[in-house]
Amino acid sequence: MLQLAPHIFHILHQHGIEHAFGIPGDFALTLYDALAESKITPVIMTHEPSVGFAADAYARIRGLGLAVVTYGVGGLNMVNVVAGAYAEKSPLVILSGSPGIKERRQDTLLHHKVKTFDSQRRVYEELTVYSSAITDIETAERKIHRAIDYAKTFKRPVYLEIPRDMVYAELPEVDYERIPVKHTDIDTLKEAVSETLEILEKAKSPVIVAGVEVHRFGLQVQLLALAEKLGVPICATMLGKSVFPETHPQYLGIYNGEAGDKNINKIVEESDCLLMLGVFMTDINLGMFTAHINQKHTISATSERIAIKHHEYQNILFTDFITGLLKNPHLPHFRSPNTYRMHPRVEENIDNISMGGLIYEINQFIDHKTIIITDVGDSLFAADDIQTKQGTSYLAPAFYASMGFAIPAIIGAQLADPFRRVLALVGDGAFQMTGMELLTAKRLGMNPIVIIINNGSFASLRAMGHEDADFVNISTIDYADLAKVLGGNGFVIGTGLELRRALSIAKDSENFSILDVRLSADDISPALQRLKTLFTQTLK
């Protein structure tokens, strides 16, 4: 006879989940008993926001992530992170323990309760693509599979709440018939592909812009094949960075509106056929409202919709649209012998340290076995000029932009892919939010390299016209000393040469390393400097 929670963990393990991130609490203790008995390894973090960030990063790499929390103080403490996972399409499964069904009838004022026993689930309805409490054993099997189907189909979070007296409830033997939550209508797909081909055949300067959903749906190989078959130039968005090999001869660079490279802007915005695949049309992802995309020249395909020029095609899966194009024998081929390539707007700086010099050294250091994670702020804008290698992965909260992502994401990313090394670039403000999670990395025997931009301020806010505001300044400490207190390696960085040497030492270390890069608050990345200039011009 199947039991509820063990059955859930068994199904999730079958879907590739090997680790569950969380913090136990009394309403989730029985749930944790079942987790400990499963094939999924519990990873205990220091704080629920870190739980969510780690599970989010794991999901971005593995295709599904799992967070297990307690009721009220646990689940509600993770709300912001789940909101970010929803906004950025990360397939995160949240399992929350909750008060038992029987005790709800006896005691109306149980601890951790907010307004009603259903308050937490109703909050999560706003943050997930599927949300349900399993209170009826007869419908449990359907809800479990439905939640996973929604997470994998739409690449967004789902929420299941399990009362603690239901954890080991026996499930009836039923054959669950999976009904897809979304499917492709073949005739509609044929029509959409046909219209796309018609536009491509008339085009003179087609360009592909690749976004994060290519990552989410594991379509990197298909994207590479499609780009090579078409022979057109291709660029990526910030959120989709590393979705295409940046050393490939057809690759232009990052399209990031006016914050990016002017030549790439010109190529993209003057294209007479812009094939946008998996792209989120967001402000931060596309240069803070400075992107100028002409819809009448655009074919946009995401998991949400397929839009060609000014009309949409319903009932087409994103993966099927990509496959349909790739397999079509009439796909035209273009020749772009002189494809422009963006070169990082940075240079070597041995005797001093600067944002440009920092980015330059990162570019020399990373290889195909690197996972790069950047947090919000100038560390995010700096990624415009970080040049990944084929096989390098890049993670960032480049839409929802919640600070504190990078350090917990190290844990999730390293467990999701233990064969690659994680390098995180994080501002001092973001580090102060979740930096203690390096204790978890230490406990798990991880050796990430953490580069902290130590400038005592929220530099990206200063750049937006608030240089003289006191509220953009933050407290600072010696992060190299903190690293040693936490049990890792610490380096104070004041020159490019010191940075290069520290990276070399950290690379061979089996322990985590913090590189405390001391910068002026006015020393910002080329992308942020460009945005600052544009912002200043608009104020005149």
Side-chain angles (χ1 to χ4, degrees):
M1 180 68 73
L2 298 176
Q3 295 176 313
L4 179 57
H7 183 52
I8 293 174
F9 292 128
H10 173 72
I11 293 172
L12 291 172
H13 186 264
Q14 288 183 319
H15 282 277
I17 291 180
E18 297 183 90
H19 299 87
F21 304 88
I23 298 175
D26 55 351
F27 287 119
L29 286 177
T30 311
L31 189 58
Y32 266 85
D33 288 337
L35 175 60
E37 295 162 0
S38 75
K39 294 181 179 180
I40 299 175
T41 302
V43 180
I44 307 305
M45 309 289 285
T46 66
H47 200 207
E48 279 85 7
S50 293
V51 168
F53 284 136
D56 181 351
Y58 190 94
R60 295 181 190 215
I61 294 175
R62 279 290 183 95
L64 208 61
L66 175 61
V68 183
V69 293
T70 192
Y71 181 73
V73 293
L76 295 180
N77 202 19
M78 203 169 65
V79 160
N80 173 64
V81 179
V82 178
Y86 184 93
E88 295 179 3
K89 290 197 173 179
S90 184
L92 174 59
V93 178
I94 302 102
L95 294 183
S96 176
S98 67
I101 294 174
K102 293 180 180 178
E103 62 187 322
R104 297 184 192 202
R105 300 185 188 124
Q106 298 169 354
D107 301 293
T108 58
L109 293 179
L110 286 172
H111 60 288
H112 299 338
K113 178 184 174 185
V114 182
K115 187 175 182 181
T116 71
F117 286 115
D118 208 31
S119 294
Q120 180 171 298
R121 184 195 59 76
R122 287 189 285 109
V123 168
Y124 270 91
E125 281 183 354
E126 291 295 316
L127 311 173
T128 60
V129 71
Y130 182 90
S131 174
S132 184
I134 301 181
T135 57
D136 180 2
I137 209 63
E138 296 297 327
T139 60
E141 187 79 10
R142 181 182 63 80
K143 289 182 176 181
I144 295 166
H145 286 280
R146 202 70 171 163
I148 296 172
D149 285 350
Y150 267 90
K152 298 191 75 172
T153 300
F154 297 106
K155 300 300 179 184
R156 279 185 158 144
V158 295
Y159 173 84
L160 289 175
E161 189 172 298
I162 304 174
R164 58 179 169 183
D165 57 3
M166 293 282 289
V167 169
Y168 288 105
E170 294 184 347
L171 296 174
E173 296 283 352
V174 295
D175 292 325
Y176 174 75
E177 181 181 357
R178 183 180 180 273
I179 302 173
V181 296
K182 184 177 181 179
H183 68 280
T184 293
D185 180 83
I186 300 301
D187 291 335
T188 307
L189 174 61
K190 288 179 180 178
E191 186 176 330
V193 170
S194 177
E195 184 176 0
T196 300
L197 292 176
E198 183 180 334
I199 295 171
L200 281 167
E201 287 168 357
K202 295 178 181 178
K204 302 296 183 183
S205 56
V207 177
I208 294 175
V209 180
V212 70
E213 283 202 321
V214 176
H215 264 311
R216 298 290 188 264
F217 288 91
L219 296 170
Q220 293 94 321
V221 172
Q222 290 90 329
L223 175 65
L224 178 60
L226 179 63
E228 290 181 341
K229 196 170 181 180
L230 284 169
V232 302
I234 179 171
C235 59
T237 64
M238 181 66 71
L239 194 60
K241 185 177 175 67
S242 80
V243 74
F244 193 84
E246 296 192 8
T247 54
H248 194 281
Q250 290 172 234
Y251 183 73
L252 301 176
I254 295 292
Y255 174 62
N256 196 14
E258 294 295 335
D261 185 282
K262 292 181 180 179
N263 291 297
I264 294 177
N265 290 356
K266 182 178 176 65
I267 293 169
V268 170
E269 295 175 5
E270 293 183 2
S271 169
D272 60 355
C273 179
L274 199 58
L275 191 56
M276 304 189 75
L277 304 177
V279 175
F280 287 6
M281 298 290 289
T282 73
D283 55 350
I284 292 180
N285 197 32
L286 292 173
M288 300 297 288
F289 299 112
T290 61
H292 303 289
I293 302 296
N294 191 333
Q295 191 174 349
K296 71 178 183 179
H297 294 151
T298 300
I299 299 165
S300 177
T302 69
S303 63
E304 302 287 337
R305 65 189 188 122
I306 309 296
I308 299 177
K309 295 186 176 180
H310 293 284
H311 62 276
E312 297 185 12
Y313 287 93
Q314 302 294 329
N315 300 321
I316 300 177
L317 292 172
F318 178 57
T319 52
D320 289 339
F321 181 74
I322 300 292
T323 304
L325 279 179
L326 183 58
K327 291 184 176 180
N328 193 286
H330 304 295
L331 199 67
H333 183 78
F334 300 82
R335 294 187 180 275
S336 303
N338 298 314
T339 300
Y340 170 84
R341 177 182 298 279
M342 174 185 175
H343 296 286
R345 299 163 290 184
V346 296
E347 58 185 24
E348 186 177 15
N349 190 348
I350 291 295
D351 297 327
N352 298 293
I353 191 63
S354 62
M355 275 299 296
L358 169 60
I359 297 169
Y360 176 88
E361 295 300 334
I362 290 174
N363 284 340
Q364 310 314 305
F365 178 77
I366 58 178
D367 58 24
H368 68 285
K369 293 185 178 180
T370 307
I371 298 175
I372 301 174
I373 302 174
T374 64
D375 215 294
V376 177
D378 200 20
S379 56
L380 176 61
F381 292 112
D384 250 23
D385 293 280
I386 293 176
Q387 199 163 44
T388 64
K389 309 298 190 294
Q390 185 165 359
T392 306
S393 287
Y394 173 76
L395 303 179
F399 170 29
Y400 187 68
S402 183
M403 291 177 65
F405 173 84
I407 303 302
I410 287 171
I411 312 296
Q414 194 73 80
L415 289 173
D417 189 350
F419 301 106
R420 291 192 286 172
R421 187 73 173 276
V422 177
L423 183 147
L425 180 62
V426 56
D428 45 1
F431 181 85
Q432 289 177 21
M433 291 185 174
T434 54
M436 291 301 288
E437 213 58 63
L438 285 175
L439 286 171
T440 306
K442 174 72 174 179
R443 189 182 76 243
L444 296 173
M446 295 178 175
N447 61 344
I449 300 171
V450 179
I451 300 175
I452 299 178
I453 302 170
N454 185 359
N455 54 23
S457 74
F458 297 125
S460 58
L461 301 183
R462 283 176 54 89
M464 296 298 109
H466 289 83
E467 293 91 342
D468 299 324
D470 186 60
F471 57 73
V472 298
N473 300 318
I474 61 173
S475 301
T476 187
I477 62 171
D478 188 319
Y479 293 102
D481 276 352
L482 177 64
K484 297 169 186 176
V485 170
L486 298 178
N489 307 314
F491 305 88
V492 173
I493 306 299
T495 70
L497 184 59
E498 288 174 345
L499 175 59
R500 188 176 300 178
R501 289 172 176 169
L503 284 169
S504 178
I505 295 170
K507 183 177 182 178
D508 295 327
S509 176
E510 295 183 356
N511 205 347
F512 77 81
S513 300
I514 288 180
L515 281 59
D516 183 351
V517 180
R518 308 287 176 85
L519 289 172
S520 162
D522 296 320
D523 190 343
I524 54 179
S525 68
L528 185 54
Q529 183 62 57
R530 176 67 180 152
L531 280 177
K532 178 181 179 180
T533 301
L534 290 169
F535 182 80
T536 302
Q537 290 173 350
T538 61
L539 294 179
K540 292 181 179 180

